[in-house]
Amino acid sequence: MRLSLLSDLNAERAARRAAVLVTDVASGEQRLVREAEIASDPLAGELRERLRQGRSGLVERDGRQLFLTVQTPPVRMAVIGAVHISQALAPMARGVDFDVTIIDPRTAFATPERFPDVQVLAEWPDAVLPEMGLDRYTAVVALTHDPKIDDPALAAALRAECFYIGALGSRKTHERRVRRLMESGFTEADLDRIHAPIGLDIGAVSPAEIAVSILAEIVATLRKERRRSA
Amino acid sequence: MLSTDTEILKTAETWRREGRGVAVATVVETWGSAPRPVGSHLVIDGDTNFLGSVSGGCVEGAVITEALDVIADGKPRMLEFGVADETAWQVGLSCGGRIKVYVERVD
């Protein structure tokens, strides 16, 4: 592999753009196909399907064996609320290779001291989410309980087709949330995509246990959806 | 350090830019129960430093040895590991699966 090719592959990953490295395993010949270049590639159909499934693999073309290294952007997690659960969730999420951003306009909560090693934005979600460019490789987790902060983030996540959207709060709280979001134009089908109450039901009590249940639910959504589409 | 997919390929680039000999090993095919999915990487330098994995630790030693040859002659190699037998169980997969690993040099 040429160093320049490896460097391009890493650059695409850093820029959160999908790419496929095509390797002829007999000759070692290689090329990089960026997401935007797929349509004009001779393997367009195969590459598009592989990318959708997020699955690398061997294919046979004109008697040649080609290995497709599929690189999708790293999963990103936007956590709304610099709260106690978020403090437990951030390092766990980093442990499974998610890019974590904590967003909370309350400056007393959103401090680097409380959240070492992750990006912390002491801003309103509607001010920073458009800039982040939410996408289908992003999970949005709303944990403040405060509609002023959570609702705009949930609305942005629904519009961006984030692969996972979760919101903390009881069933009653969620019913009220659903009513508010419907008034602002979302359909019932849209709102069904919000995981609420958030997290797998493992009887979690402490903030750290709730963080485990949330992270497990996100991983399950990520992996099972890809497997279903495979 | 726990190595993630992102770190593994970034490390390969960093090591090469530092002037080290570097090989990248990639799982290209699996049969039966295999510990790491297709597309998993292991990067190796000329001093046998390595990061990542292509199995649960069962065949990494053999891959690293082959990688040194790849770093030396620049020719990519396809390695295949199957169910371990009694005479060579060090370089087999005790889980009963089979994997194919492609090893290439970073030039």
Side-chain angles (χ1 to χ4, degrees):
Chain A
M1 189 192 306
R2 290 192 312 278
L3 177 60
S4 61
L5 202 63
L6 177 60
S7 172
D8 289 348
L9 190 65
N10 284 334
E12 290 306 294
R13 193 177 187 100
R16 299 191 58 77
R17 288 190 298 258
V20 183
L21 179 68
V22 182
T23 306
D24 182 322
V25 295
S27 68
E29 207 176 291
Q30 277 172 326
R31 67 173 201 275
L32 180 70
V33 185
R34 295 176 178 82
E35 197 169 12
E37 302 161 347
I38 287 178
S40 57
D41 195 272
L43 290 172
E46 180 75 36
L47 296 183
R48 210 173 289 123
E49 185 57 23
R50 289 274 168 182
L51 207 59
R52 197 176 62 78
Q53 300 173 4
R55 284 221 317 218
S56 300
L58 281 169
V59 292
E60 191 126 352
R61 269 305 129 82
D62 309 321
R64 302 196 311 169
Q65 265 210 318
L66 303 174
F67 184 71
L68 309 178
T69 306
V70 174
Q71 180 175 271
T72 54
V75 172
R76 185 169 51 177
M77 189 171 81
V79 182
I80 314 305
V83 297
H84 199 174
I85 296 171
S86 318
Q87 284 181 288
L89 183 57
M92 288 180 197
R94 294 229 329 141
V96 294
D97 203 18
F98 291 178
D99 280 344
V100 181
T101 302
I102 308 283
I103 301 164
D104 196 323
R106 299 167 298 180
T107 49
F109 286 81
T111 68
E113 289 74 30
R114 285 166 49 81
F115 295 91
D117 304 326
V118 299
Q119 189 184 26
V120 184
L121 302 174
E123 305 273 0
W124 288 89
D126 22 354
V128 291
L129 289 179
E131 213 169 295
M132 268 181 76
L134 297 182
D135 55 29
R136 60 199 163 99
Y137 306 104
T138 306
V140 172
V141 177
L143 301 178
T144 70
H145 288 111
D146 182 342
K148 284 199 305 298
I149 305 173
D150 283 352
D151 284 10
L154 294 170
L158 287 168
R159 282 192 294 266
E161 305 201 337
C162 294
F163 79 92
Y164 176 90
I165 307 169
L168 191 71
S170 66
R171 283 195 171 76
K172 265 215 173 87
T173 304
H174 189 58
E175 273 168 29
R176 286 195 292 272
R177 180 185 291 133
V178 165
R179 272 204 298 277
R180 285 193 307 273
L181 287 167
M182 281 177 87
E183 278 163 22
S184 58
F186 289 102
T187 65
E188 219 172 304
D190 292 332
L191 297 165
D192 279 348
R193 291 174 38 224
I194 300 178
H195 293 261
I198 198 168
L200 295 184
D201 185 5
I202 55 170
V205 175
S206 71
E209 290 168 2
I210 295 167
V212 168
S213 81
I214 294 171
L215 193 57
E217 187 169 59
I218 295 175
V219 172
T221 307
L222 178 71
R223 295 304 185 189
K224 285 184 175 167
E225 251 171 30
R226 282 197 182 157
R227 198 160 56 198
R228 253 200 307 279
S229 71
Chain B
M1 182 174 65
L2 182 74
S3 44
T4 61
D5 286 346
T6 309
E7 274 173 281
I8 293 163
L9 290 183
K10 268 206 296 214
T11 300
E13 186 183 341
T14 308
W15 283 357
R16 187 66 201 116
R17 290 194 188 285
E18 287 170 4
R20 306 194 209 179
V22 177
V24 175
T26 307
V27 178
V28 295
E29 215 168 1
T30 66
W31 297 264
S33 75
R36 295 284 287 134
V38 169
S40 303
H41 295 297
L42 173 72
V43 305
I44 305 101
D45 78 359
D47 294 324
T48 70
N49 293 300
F50 67 96
L51 194 68
S53 64
V54 291
S55 73
C58 319
V59 303
E60 272 75 3
V63 173
I64 290 165
T65 307
E66 293 282 344
L68 294 178
D69 292 341
V70 172
I71 291 171
D73 67 18
K75 284 200 208 85
R77 284 167 177 67
M78 188 70 84
L79 313 176
E80 199 171 331
F81 299 97
V83 185
D85 65 43
E86 272 176 54
T87 54
W89 69 275
Q90 301 92 321
V91 288
L93 291 168
S94 46
C95 50
R98 270 200 300 147
I99 61 170
K100 247 190 203 174
V101 179
Y102 181 71
V103 188
E104 61 191 311
R105 183 170 77 177
V106 179
D107 290 312

